[in-house]
Amino acid sequence: MKKMKKALAFALSASMVMGMSITASAAEQEVSVDAPIYAYDVTNVIVPTDFKVAFNPNGLDVDKDGGTTIVQDQVVSKNYGIINKSTKDKVITVTFNVEDLNEDKITFASDPADVTNATADDYVINLTLVPADSTEVKVGATPAAADLTTTGADLADATMTPATGKEKILVAGENDVDFLLAKADYQGKIDLGSTGNNVADDFTISGLAANGDGITAFTFGGTMNAKADWTKLTKGIRITAVYSNDNAPDNATPETGTGALYENPNPVFKAGNDVGTIKYRSGTGSDAVASISKVEMDNAGTSFDGYNAVAGAWTDAVDENGKITLQPEYMAYYLATYPNDAAREATITYVTSGGDTKTATVNVRLKAVEAAKGPSFKTGSAVGTINYTSGSGNNALASVSKVEMDINGTIYDGYNAEGSGAWVAATDSNGLITLPAAYMKFYIDGYASDTTREATITYVTVGGETKTATVDVKLR
């Protein structure tokens, strides 16, 4: 041990002598770096800008496309495409609101047999959404594969093969349908040393997902009671589609036999738009909702179940077509206790298909609210301008995130200032967006023969959802 200590001392002494000319050792220097986290996320979902749907109870000849396709269907509709140009797989939720404009004289049946069994006095429709099957959806008058130049207008008349047997029934009010679309391809590289986390400017979209996995389509179908005298109705049926999207879960797959129809395997409960209502989707597999046991809300420290009847107080809730409606007497009990609250939290107890008892929480409205209405975007009268109204309720516009246009396959945002100073931020005031002149010049010079270019607006709703809309922007 003594020999080891002597050897170590000698080694240390030698190194000190040899190092006399060093002014600072490596241990005395400090080098640090604020290392960026390179990532980017582009959300760009293209949806159809128009619907053409008609109801034809008596099977009259209807020309769908200018002379080549004559049909006698009771529900006549074009096919409507959806494209995902985002950097991530997306679940696109389309909320279809179906409204009878004839003072609710029409019944939207959840069972096709209700149409067959209807009498001459019954205005009954079994309205369905028909998804595309797994063959590739095409666009254009001469159907061809969609590409980066495909617009929302192109998607208003797509070519698809219906997934027979996979129809989704649409009833009066809101109906949610999900589609799963694969991410687009992006190419680029980052030079090490670049600062900032968001490296979106270093990558450009190079193509849609392979094998048509980034596009799908749907149409409307169904049957009507031909025995009724539909000439007595003076108004039509309003169908409104609101599109929203979210990142797809890992390992998500479309429903078998369809190209993109998606069923979330987990139950989903949401607040309804009406007082005392809860919307839900059951899910699939062993975790799906098999039955609902209770819907409880706290009232001054005591919980009461509104799903089941309480003698002398309220009757059973109505539970049909994925919508629970709690009875007015039950809801009045809470409104009396909490007159200043717009909603109260409810706990739902349910039994799964696998036999497990589980719970979920959801807000239930105590007071009626203005019907949610999404924003409306229109082409402005001047070059580079967009007029809009914000809408109302949870679907109303809270803020605009981006206004993007494509040029030769590359998308640029003109709403926000360009990082290198190429253009300033757009002005957004009193329902008018004015894109910067330098940004517009980029497109004016690039498309000398075009009068307009399609822009995709990404915005956030009052309810916190990120949505997109398309609108033409004047170039000259």
Side-chain angles (χ1 to χ4, degrees):
M1 188 68 175
K2 290 180 178 179
K3 290 182 178 180
M4 185 179 293
K5 288 182 179 178
K6 288 181 179 179
L8 180 61
F10 175 77
L12 289 173
S13 298
S15 66
M16 291 174 64
V17 171
M18 292 172 64
M20 289 293 288
S21 62
I22 299 176
T23 57
S25 71
E28 296 173 333
Q29 297 180 19
E30 181 175 312
V31 179
S32 67
V33 60
D34 292 337
I37 302 171
Y38 291 147
Y40 71 104
D41 185 12
V42 175
T43 296
N44 189 12
V45 176
I46 310 300
V47 301
T49 55
D50 188 25
F51 276 171
K52 289 183 179 177
V53 184
F55 292 87
N56 184 30
N58 303 119
L60 305 176
D61 286 348
V62 178
D63 182 357
K64 285 184 66 173
D65 55 9
T68 60
T69 306
I70 306 298
V71 299
Q72 295 82 35
D73 300 333
Q74 288 188 309
V75 180
V76 183
S77 173
K78 296 275 193 179
N79 304 322
Y80 308 102
I82 306 171
I83 287 178
N84 183 21
K85 295 170 71 173
S86 308
T87 53
K88 295 180 180 179
D89 296 348
K90 292 288 183 179
V91 173
I92 294 97
T93 299
V94 190
T95 301
F96 296 97
N97 190 67
V98 179
E99 181 184 359
D100 173 19
L101 302 180
N102 298 280
E103 300 178 349
D104 294 328
K105 293 178 181 178
I106 299 173
T107 298
F108 293 93
S110 57
D111 187 341
D114 292 342
V115 175
T116 305
N117 299 329
T119 70
D121 297 325
D122 301 324
Y123 299 107
V124 183
I125 302 174
N126 176 237
L127 178 61
T128 61
L129 176 133
V130 185
D133 73 359
S134 57
T135 58
E136 187 173 0
V137 172
K138 303 294 181 66
V139 296
T142 303
D147 58 26
L148 299 181
T149 66
T150 302
T151 66
D154 298 327
L155 296 175
D157 189 9
T159 299
M160 61 169 252
T161 302
T164 305
K166 300 296 183 178
E167 297 86 352
K168 292 289 187 180
I169 293 173
L170 303 180
V171 297
E174 291 188 349
N175 305 263
D176 290 341
V177 181
D178 288 343
F179 297 95
L180 174 66
L181 292 179
K183 63 184 180 182
D185 292 326
Y186 280 73
Q187 299 292 327
K189 66 179 180 65
I190 309 160
D191 293 328
L192 184 61
S194 297
T195 59
N197 286 11
N198 189 349
V199 292
D201 289 344
D202 294 297
F203 292 83
T204 57
I205 187 169
S206 58
L208 302 180
N211 304 316
D213 292 341
I215 181 172
T216 192
F218 63 87
T219 189
F220 297 101
T223 57
M224 304 177 69
N225 177 21
K227 296 188 290 287
D229 185 359
W230 293 87
T231 64
K232 292 181 178 180
L233 301 185
T234 59
K235 296 181 180 179
I237 296 163
R238 178 175 294 154
I239 303 174
T240 304
V242 177
Y243 299 82
S244 58
N245 66 83
D246 202 352
N247 293 336
D250 292 340
N251 303 316
T253 57
E255 187 172 326
T256 302
T258 73
L261 194 65
Y262 177 68
E263 187 70 41
N264 193 325
N266 301 310
V268 177
F269 295 91
K270 297 197 302 184
N273 287 330
D274 300 322
V275 171
T277 60
I278 300 167
K279 293 172 58 183
Y280 71 94
R281 284 189 276 177
S282 296
T284 61
S286 60
D287 288 333
V289 175
S291 62
I292 291 176
S293 307
K294 297 182 290 185
V295 177
E296 297 175 301
M297 292 198 296
D298 175 84
N299 193 314
T302 302
S303 291
F304 295 92
D305 173 23
Y307 190 77
N308 300 288
V310 172
W314 51 78
T315 56
D316 290 339
V318 177
D319 184 353
E320 58 182 12
N321 300 322
K323 182 179 180 181
I324 299 169
T325 303
L326 301 169
Q327 295 296 341
E329 294 82 3
Y330 177 76
M331 296 306 302
Y333 184 45
Y334 288 86
L335 185 59
T337 308
Y338 303 100
N340 297 321
D341 288 2
R344 295 291 294 172
E345 185 177 80
T347 299
I348 301 166
T349 303
Y350 64 95
V351 179
T352 69
S353 296
D356 295 326
T357 297
K358 296 188 176 184
T359 60
T361 56
V362 65
N363 285 330
V364 178
R365 296 189 188 280
L366 299 185
K367 301 176 182 178
V369 296
E370 183 181 4
K373 181 181 179 182
S376 173
F377 297 93
K378 295 183 179 179
T379 305
S381 58
V383 169
T385 60
I386 301 168
N387 295 111
Y388 68 91
T389 55
S390 295
S392 58
N394 282 340
N395 289 336
L397 172 70
S399 62
V400 174
S401 306
K402 295 182 289 187
V403 178
E404 296 173 306
M405 293 198 293
D406 172 273
I407 183 164
N408 299 323
T410 302
I411 295 170
Y412 295 96
D413 172 26
Y415 190 78
N416 300 288
E418 202 276 327
S420 64
W423 53 78
V424 297
T427 60
D428 184 350
S429 177
N430 298 319
L432 177 67
I433 297 171
T434 302
L435 299 170
Y439 175 77
M440 290 307 302
K441 187 177 186 304
F442 192 38
Y443 292 87
I444 291 169
D445 293 345
Y447 296 96
S449 60
D450 289 0
T451 57
T452 63
R453 291 295 293 170
E454 184 179 80
T456 298
I457 302 166
T458 302
Y459 62 95
V460 179
T461 69
V462 171
E465 293 183 293
T466 298
K467 298 186 178 183
T468 59
T470 56
V471 65
D472 286 339
V473 177
K474 286 187 178 180
L475 299 185
R476 46 186 54 84

